[in-house]
Amino acid sequence: MTLGEKIRYLREVEGALRGLDREMTQQEVVRAVKKEQRKPISQSYLSQIESGARPHLTNSTRLLLAKFFKVHPGYLVDDPEGFQTGLISDLGAFEDKLDLWLIDGAERFRREPELSQALLDVARHEDSRRCLVLLGAILDTPGLVDRLLHVLKPPADEEGRRLL
């Protein structure tokens, strides 16, 4: 995968994570980077990267985009010829794959907003693997799911007010 393809892919994933139901535009990325990272990047620079006109990032831009997209800076380079994305060698890569799987699930269940949002929330968490392990432990404890739902999402009356 080329650097440009990776940036386009990350814009797509970031759009899903932010609940946009579409990829973020280059301009939205520029604004979000400036707001969240407090450092500027130009839309024309992003465009040049994605089109392949600029095949390499400066180190400062690589670090800025890696921090914004929450990826390892080493990800933001062209893959070497013959590189296989299916070969995963470290836990961080497994975590990324898990998060992408959760995001894909959220997209598939977009017609069920509560479930879709829950999947996105887990994907956004810094340790989504641990969240799922915790869910397993909750499910293994008899009655805990119902008790937690009653406390965290109490039933509502006809006007939508929560009953305690």
Side-chain angles (χ1 to χ4, degrees):
M1 186 181 282
T2 67
L3 172 61
E5 291 168 334
K6 289 179 180 182
I7 297 294
R8 280 190 298 278
Y9 174 73
L10 289 170
R11 286 194 298 113
E12 182 180 334
V13 170
E14 193 65 25
L17 284 171
R18 292 174 184 244
L20 299 177
D21 294 328
R22 60 173 172 76
E23 70 181 28
M24 286 183 78
T25 65
Q26 290 175 350
Q27 195 58 47
E28 287 172 326
V29 169
V30 166
R31 283 192 295 267
V33 166
K34 186 174 184 177
K35 180 180 178 185
E36 296 167 21
Q37 304 300 314
R38 308 220 188 285
K39 293 183 182 171
I41 185 170
S42 74
Q43 186 271 326
S44 63
Y45 188 61
L46 272 181
S47 178
Q48 290 172 4
I49 294 166
E50 287 189 25
S51 71
R54 182 180 293 267
H56 304 289
L57 295 170
T58 63
N59 191 49
S60 60
T61 302
R62 182 181 333 282
L63 294 173
L64 177 67
L65 289 175
K67 189 172 182 182
F68 175 74
F69 287 119
K70 297 176 182 66
V71 296
H72 188 279
Y75 176 76
L76 296 176
V77 297
D78 286 345
D79 290 334
E81 190 174 322
F83 177 76
Q84 298 292 319
T85 58
L87 300 175
I88 299 174
S89 61
D90 67 356
L91 186 59
F94 281 122
E95 189 79 20
D96 290 344
K97 191 171 184 177
L98 175 61
D99 291 344
L100 292 175
W101 179 77
L102 289 164
I103 292 165
D104 182 57
E107 179 61 25
R108 289 175 193 237
F109 289 99
R110 69 179 172 270
R111 295 185 195 276
E112 297 183 49
E114 198 170 38
L115 176 58
S116 180
Q117 187 60 52
L119 290 169
L120 286 174
D121 290 345
V122 174
R124 281 188 192 118
H125 192 276
E126 68 183 36
D127 194 349
S128 51
R129 175 182 300 275
R130 202 163 133 222
C131 291
L132 292 174
V133 170
L134 173 62
L135 176 59
I138 290 169
L139 295 172
D140 284 343
T141 306
L144 186 55
V145 170
D146 292 331
R147 291 193 316 255
L148 286 172
L149 280 173
H150 183 74
V151 171
L152 299 174
K153 295 206 176 254
D157 64 12
E158 287 105 30
E159 282 101 40
R161 294 180 299 228
R162 297 286 182 191
L163 302 172
L164 294 176

